């Protein structure tokens, strides 16, 4: 079965909102093993919506609509589909009851046009809306399946998860399971990674291997199909083993993890605490770290030493260092790492200094970065990098390299507890 | 002229990423007065891409493609369009030079398949990529226009703004000018703002007034059309004046500015410097501040005092304060603001302490936040807030309120120079 996701709403075509529904539903359908070949967005215009439906029927078995189920005049999804598939629109008493309750609960007055939302396509299977008014619908006509879902993600997502997903699962023939796994890499470009495993990507069909690059990271999505789930998983394991035997040194985690999550995980495992001195990153490392709940158990704190004055006054970088080697230097980075860990009384000190741009600094080109790591009295690593991209891209990659180096350093040391 | 935005990439159909490009381009095209009737997403599949192109040619004058310009085997946009419109693919020496430089700068090894990115459609107008490798293209064939843009937003957005937008502007017939202006508000909800100016929104057609809410901010986009540009601008001015006469107290800036940009602007005007003590925000204020080039002239630096130990040891918050009133208190906030400004030797000290969640702290519910501002020896403001939303939403809004309070405090004081 292959599907097409059709979002209805002029606000999408005006760029007022992003079509996150298409992403959510695509993930869900991938889990169900349903291929999504197209996303379409069309405005609140019955002619163009009708044309989009006919188009989709010609190329897809399963049409999923989001939006256009609201109470206002420009909400026309139900009406247009009803006319197209020649079905009546009928009042659904249960839905009407829910809407009435919804208004009682929220102490608002129900208007006539709200009742419109309780009208459904006859013969359709109703998906209750527990977070809003418009119910969803699933309709089968000959070889096509039509699912209508509300536009607001707050209503659509829980509705799909609780009612849509199980319903589809039961309709699919169950004799094939699809399992998927994402391998995450850092420190290697997409082109180079792909060159390393080109033969696998070209030759393999089960699992399939799909590369994707973003923000200096590369991911490989492995997707396997088999009658037995165990066998499908075994196929993933085997392919993963082959891939990691070639590019394992750049691998850092699975699925939706991040370098920062992995860094925090290993800091926790080793029973350590960390503090941070940030010059060019201006607080980004600590902000990213503290975005993770529970960060306070591991991050003591840190200093944003954006000026040389702050480096000298607060983190006691030696005057000679600043004058002779400069703030953008390995020596400055290692003093920052050591001194922040003693100031904050943490096991680990990590520091970032360099040139984010737009202008060069101390004669160093934009993208020159020093990262230093100090662990329990030892200078473990001080690394110079040359990064490309915008000011923000350089800062983001600097933080990612910091996590990456930290993970690799900590892997080498023994647990404390 | 009406347009269709065609995103190419299986990662979109798998739900790995959201199609933010369609939203960005839709906003830009709306500014240009180009109607967008469809968004389409198609996978890295030449047959289905060809079908999508034919479809789009049948219903749209202007086809904008994003994605599929990368170095890997599954990047097929150029090749598929070239075959369809019967154009050769030729090496663009300038683009090749840029790519080579990009690799030299970032110290990475350039592979053969990277060269593929410098190949362009013959007779196309090249749009340079200043933040990545693949150049963009604009091609005219009879009554259709084809624009090819890279997929990564960090490359596509600056490319379109700098090269795509002006190019399109020059191609559009100029006998009606469209001017647009965004008014930005903070500290007032969308519903309330809309109520205040409902009569204007309903009655006005030129300029049109379009409200949009996001991240605790509300914007109004005014769009006016007229043969004379001056007249169109005058229409905007008149409407703006009426709007600000009603809700001016919440207005903070125009178009793409941010609260942080406005805060930095007024700090600069007043000839001051600032430093920051961050507990729950964990560095977010300073990271956002230093995202703006030239931040170093105004931000001395600051301390991420995520633990009470750091608050006491580094910022000398009094023991009684922590023990009797707690870290989440007005007293702690004002000591942090004063002490960070003396530690960093800055004119302004601003501090953030509170509960980002997920758990409550010191008996305070999630969303309890204290912000304190200390300017030149004076405690100017200490404000308690009760914010809703996720951990991240609370942190983001805390930083925005900090900027908002700072702007309003600084407006009241005289310039120093």
């Amino acid at each position: 079965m292959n599907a097409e996701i059709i979002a209805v709403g002029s606000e999408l075509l005006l760029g007022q909102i992003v079509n996150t529904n298409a992403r959510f539903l695509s993930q869900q359908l991938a889990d169900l093993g349903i291929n999504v070949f197209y996303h379409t967005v069309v405005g609140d215009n019955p002619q163009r919506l009708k044309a989009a439906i006919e188009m989709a029927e010609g190329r897809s078995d399963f049409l999923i609509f989001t939006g256009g189920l609201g109470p206002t005049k420009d909400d026309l999804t139900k009406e247009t589909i009803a006319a197209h598939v020649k079905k009546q629109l009928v009042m659904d008493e249960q839905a009407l009851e829910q809407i009435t309750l919804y208004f009682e609960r929220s102490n608002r007055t129900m208007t006539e046009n709200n009742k419109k939302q309780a009208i459904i396509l006859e013969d359709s299977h109703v998906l209750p809306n527990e977070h809003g008014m418009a119910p969803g619908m699933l309709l089968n006509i000959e070889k096509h399946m039509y699912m209508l879902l509300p536009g607001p993600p707050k209503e659509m997502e829980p509705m799909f998860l609780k009612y849509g997903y199980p319903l589809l699962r039961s309709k699919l023939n169950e004799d094939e399971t699809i399992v998927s796994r994402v391998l995450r890499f850092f420190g290697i470009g997409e082109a180079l990674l792909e060159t390393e495993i080109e033969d696998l990507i070209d030759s393999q069909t089960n699992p399939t291997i799909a590369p994707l690059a973003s923000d200096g990271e590369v991911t490989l999505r492995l997707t396997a199909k088999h009658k037995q789930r165990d066998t499908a998983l075994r196929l993933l394991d085997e392919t993963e083993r082959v891939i990691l035997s070639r590019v394992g040194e750049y691998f850092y985690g699975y699925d939706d993890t991040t370098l920062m999550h992995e860094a925090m995980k290993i800091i926790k495992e080793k029973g350590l605490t960390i503090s941070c001195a940030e010059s060019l990153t201006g607080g980004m490392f600590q902000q990213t770290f503290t975005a993770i709940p529970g960060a306070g158990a591991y991050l003591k704190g840190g200093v944003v030493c954006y000026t040389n004055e702050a480096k000298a006054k607060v983190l006691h970088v030696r005057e000679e260092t600043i004058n002779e080697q400069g703030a953008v230097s390995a020596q400055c980075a290692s003093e920052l790492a050591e001194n922040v860990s003693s100031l904050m009384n943490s096991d680990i000190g990590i520091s970032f200094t360099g040139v984010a741009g737009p202008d060069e600094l101390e004669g160093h080109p934009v993208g020159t970065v020093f990262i230093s790591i100090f662990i329990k009295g030892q200078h473990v690593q001080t690394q110079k990098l040359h990064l490309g991209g915008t000011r923000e891209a350089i800062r983001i990659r600097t933080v990612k390299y910091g996590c990456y180096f930290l993970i690799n350093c900590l892997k080498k040391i023994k647990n404390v507890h």
Side-chain angles (χ1 to χ4, degrees), chain A residues 137-167:
Chain A
M137 286 157 254
L138 183 69
L139 185 65
N140 260 98
I141 296 178
E142 287 139 26
K143 57 186 200 322
H144 285 109
M145 200 157 69
Y146 307 79
M147 184 179 269
L148 286 68
L149 297 169
K154 286 192 185 63
E155 301 177 23
M156 187 280 287
E157 294 182 7
M159 177 189 290
F160 185 87
L161 291 172
K162 185 164 178 184
Y163 299 104
Y165 188 101
L167 194 58

Side-chain angles (χ1 to χ4, degrees), chain A residues 3-291:
Chain A
E4 175 160 353
I5 299 168
I6 302 170
V8 186
S10 300
E11 65 276 19
L12 288 157
L13 298 178
L14 287 166
Q16 289 172 347
I17 58 170
V18 183
N19 188 6
T20 56
N21 289 340
R23 189 242 183 117
F24 171 84
L25 290 168
S26 295
Q27 287 175 321
Q28 295 299 318
L29 294 170
D31 279 356
L32 285 160
I34 298 171
N35 296 316
V36 178
F37 286 157
Y38 298 95
H39 295 170
T40 301
V41 179
V42 58
D44 304 310
N45 173 296
Q47 289 73 32
R48 285 194 286 274
L49 177 54
K50 189 180 193 316
I53 296 168
E54 284 163 349
M55 171 77 39
E57 286 171 336
R59 61 192 185 185
S60 309
D61 315 310
F62 181 22
L63 283 60
I64 306 187
F65 300 85
T66 59
L69 302 183
T72 69
K73 285 200 176 44
D74 61 4
D75 293 304
L76 294 160
T77 306
K78 273 185 304 201
E79 294 71 7
T80 310
I81 293 172
H84 177 69
V85 301
K86 307 205 172 28
K87 286 282 180 185
Q88 296 301 315
L89 287 168
V90 296
M91 177 63 70
D92 183 69
E93 289 311 324
Q94 226 176 336
L96 183 60
E97 202 174 298
Q98 280 197 321
I99 293 173
T100 319
L101 278 171
Y102 179 88
F103 274 95
E104 283 169 14
R105 269 206 316 278
S106 52
N107 278 343
R108 285 164 47 206
T109 27
M110 178 162 165
T111 59
E112 258 316 301
N113 55 7
N114 287 121
K115 287 195 180 144
K116 173 168 171 285
Q117 296 189 275
I119 293 170
I120 61 158
L121 290 158
E122 63 172 346
D123 307 329
S124 67
H125 183 117
V126 174
L127 313 178
N129 188 339
E130 296 178 353
H131 299 86
M133 288 176 279
M137 286 157 254
L138 183 69
L139 185 65
N140 260 98
I141 296 178
E142 287 139 26
K143 57 186 200 322
H144 285 109
M145 200 157 69
Y146 307 79
M147 184 179 269
L148 286 68
L149 297 169
K154 286 192 185 63
E155 301 177 23
M156 187 280 287
E157 294 182 7
M159 177 189 290
F160 185 87
L161 291 172
K162 185 164 178 184
Y163 299 104
Y165 188 101
L167 194 58
L168 292 174
R169 198 135 221 18
S170 69
K171 284 181 172 293
L172 291 167
N173 68 42
E174 285 293 352
D175 65 2
E176 197 168 53
T177 323
I178 288 150
V179 290
S180 178
R181 178 183 304 169
V182 174
L183 309 181
R184 309 190 68 93
F185 298 86
F186 185 76
I188 181 172
E190 183 183 20
L192 183 55
L193 179 78
E194 186 166 337
T195 313
E196 294 288 334
I197 59 168
E198 201 167 20
D199 54 323
L200 300 175
I201 295 175
D202 293 349
S203 63
Q204 285 221 177
T205 57
N206 192 25
T208 55
I209 305 172
L212 177 67
S214 73
D215 285 340
E217 303 190 30
V218 192
T219 62
L220 294 175
R221 173 179 287 267
L222 316 184
T223 309
K225 300 184 179 193
H226 196 278
K227 284 192 187 57
Q228 269 78 38
R229 184 178 176 77
D230 302 0
T231 316
L233 287 169
R234 212 196 60 243
L235 290 167
L236 288 186
D237 294 338
E238 285 164 1
T239 304
E240 176 182 336
R241 213 172 298 119
V242 180
I243 292 169
L244 294 189
S245 71
R246 301 189 191 180
V247 289
E249 58 185 305
Y250 305 103
F251 170 77
Y252 77 84
Y254 295 100
D255 300 324
D256 295 332
T257 189
T258 64
L259 281 157
M260 192 59 86
H261 275 89
E262 295 302 313
M264 191 194 270
K265 201 191 291 173
I266 192 164
I267 290 169
K268 182 179 180 178
E269 279 167 22
K270 303 290 181 180
L272 301 172
T273 58
I274 185 170
S275 63
C276 181
E278 306 197 51
S279 183
L280 85 154
T281 48
M284 189 185 279
F285 181 91
Q286 297 172 85
Q287 185 236 309
T288 313
F289 196 102
T290 56

Side-chain angles (χ1 to χ4, degrees), chain A residues 343-354:
Chain A
L343 176 70
M344 290 287 168
N345 184 30
S346 64
D347 303 309
I348 308 166
I350 184 168
S351 70
F352 303 94
T353 182

Side-chain angles (χ1 to χ4, degrees), chain A residues 247-371:
Chain A
V247 289
E249 58 185 305
Y250 305 103
F251 170 77
Y252 77 84
Y254 295 100
D255 300 324
D256 295 332
T257 189
T258 64
L259 281 157
M260 192 59 86
H261 275 89
E262 295 302 313
M264 191 194 270
K265 201 191 291 173
I266 192 164
I267 290 169
K268 182 179 180 178
E269 279 167 22
K270 303 290 181 180
L272 301 172
T273 58
I274 185 170
S275 63
C276 181
E278 306 197 51
S279 183
L280 85 154
T281 48
M284 189 185 279
F285 181 91
Q286 297 172 85
Q287 185 236 309
T288 313
F289 196 102
T290 56
I292 305 171
Y298 316 106
L299 177 75
K300 289 285 193 97
V303 176
V304 176
C305 46
Y306 208 66
T307 53
N308 288 352
E309 181 185 350
K311 290 180 182 73
K313 185 162 181 287
V314 182
L315 286 173
H316 312 299
V317 172
R318 290 168 27 251
E319 212 180 326
E320 314 87 81
T321 304
I322 303 262
N323 297 340
E324 288 155 27
Q325 297 171 63
V328 183
S329 68
Q331 179 57 32
C332 180
S334 63
E335 287 181 38
L336 287 172
E338 176 171 357
N339 298 352
V340 77
S341 79
S342 57
L343 176 70
M344 290 287 168
N345 184 30
S346 64
D347 303 309
I348 308 166
I350 184 168
S351 70
F352 303 94
T353 182
V355 192
D359 307 320
E360 62 167 41
L361 187 64
E362 298 176 351
H364 299 284
V366 172
T368 310
V369 171
F370 290 89
I371 300 176

